[in-house]
Amino acid sequence: DSGVTQTPKHLITATGQRVTLRCSPRSGDLSVYWYQQSLDQGLQFLIQYYNGEERAKGNILERFSAQQFPDLHSELNLSSLELGDSALYFCASSARQQGNYGYTFGSGTRLTVV
Amino acid sequence: GQQVMQIPQYQHVQEGEDFTTYCNSSTTLSNIQWYKQRPGGHPVFLIQLVKSGEVKKQKRLTFQFGEAKKNSSLHITATQTTDVGTYFCAVKAAGNKLTFGGGTRVLVKP
């Protein structure tokens, strides 16, 4: 157990639907990052939050949005889902916004759009 | 933003042999991190390199940061089946986001 909790582990939904992925960072970590990993692909950065505020954005689609709540958990909302959105979505946390710390990843949510 | 290229994309290794995977950048890097992702698992942080020419070891794994801080390597000696997985290098980009290389997928032949 890495200390980063992601739910659900698996999600199967139809095209056009909307889903919410949830992440609880490791205790004490203020930064949360979301990554997308398609089949046999690398890790694509989506978005970063630090203590409730958005701090960096990657190539995140307009259909996707995220937020970090006062208790520091984060949610990634994916809407108008397309087949190509099927992927593993990882959440990671780190101890500080700036610093020489590695990221701690959760186990991921596997999203299948049918 | 900063990008890194990893080679090779795939590495088939006979158990007991050594191999090296490389991470290259066209720009100078402030630091570089390495992660390992087992099949079906999530990336796990291995190490961070910061100084020019830095070498760090973790048991059979040796990590090196180039003198010009534009490349890095991961060398594994006496490969074991537990080394199977994808090894990623990653660099901090603007806004503190971590940008990952494409990874080297390691397959071990017993």
Side-chain angles (χ1 to χ4, degrees):
Chain A
D1 182 10
S2 67
V4 176
T5 304
Q6 287 189 250
T7 57
K9 291 193 181 304
H10 302 276
L11 201 49
I12 300 176
T13 190
T15 54
Q17 295 298 306
R18 171 190 171 94
V19 297
T20 298
L21 312 183
R22 182 188 169 103
C23 169
S24 293
R26 197 178 53 171
S27 178
D29 286 357
L30 300 180
S31 284
V32 169
Y33 311 83
W34 286 96
Y35 284 83
Q36 180 192 56
Q37 185 175 44
S38 300
L39 190 63
D40 293 336
Q41 297 297 310
L43 292 149
Q44 301 300 316
F45 172 75
L46 296 177
I47 199 164
Q48 177 204 355
Y49 281 84
Y50 176 78
N51 202 21
E53 293 187 7
E54 180 185 306
R55 286 306 173 101
K57 237 177 181 178
N59 295 324
I60 186 168
L61 300 172
E62 286 191 7
R63 301 182 285 109
F64 295 2
S65 65
Q67 54 183 329
Q68 186 179 27
F69 295 86
D71 67 353
L72 300 178
H73 91 270
S74 178
E75 293 181 356
L76 178 66
N77 301 296
L78 315 176
S79 62
S80 303
L81 285 168
E82 303 174 358
L83 296 177
D85 297 327
S86 296
L88 259 174
Y89 290 85
F90 286 108
C91 166
S93 70
S94 68
R96 297 180 185 178
Q97 181 192 12
Q98 302 285 348
N100 299 323
Y101 294 91
Y103 289 10
T104 301
F105 280 82
S107 299
T109 293
R110 182 174 293 281
L111 173 66
T112 304
V113 182
V114 297
Chain B
Q2 291 183 323
Q3 293 194 6
V4 286
M5 299 294 294
Q6 281 190 256
I7 52 173
Q9 190 175 357
Y10 295 92
Q11 181 80 54
H12 295 254
V13 189
Q14 190 72 44
E15 190 173 11
E17 292 185 344
D18 303 351
F19 78 90
T20 304
T21 177
Y22 301 90
C23 185
N24 300 313
S25 171
S26 59
T27 60
T28 303
L29 305 170
S30 57
N31 61 51
I32 194 160
Q33 298 182 359
W34 285 90
Y35 290 77
K36 177 183 178 182
Q37 183 177 19
R38 295 181 185 274
H42 57 275
V44 174
F45 174 69
L46 295 177
I47 208 158
Q48 176 168 273
L49 305 172
V50 179
K51 299 176 183 176
S52 169
E54 187 171 15
V55 178
K56 288 188 176 180
K57 293 189 176 184
Q58 289 181 353
K59 296 182 180 179
R60 295 179 294 103
L61 277 61
T62 301
F63 303 84
Q64 186 165 3
F65 205 3
E67 293 290 343
K69 300 181 73 174
K70 287 186 176 182
N71 55 69
S72 180
S73 64
L74 161 58
H75 181 79
I76 299 182
T77 58
T79 303
Q80 299 177 359
T81 55
T82 54
D83 295 324
V84 165
T86 302
Y87 294 83
F88 293 98
C89 63
V91 297
K92 288 279 180 70
N96 200 45
K97 66 182 183 185
L98 204 58
T99 298
F100 285 80
T104 294
R105 176 174 287 186
V106 176
L107 303 170
V108 179
K109 295 177 283 187

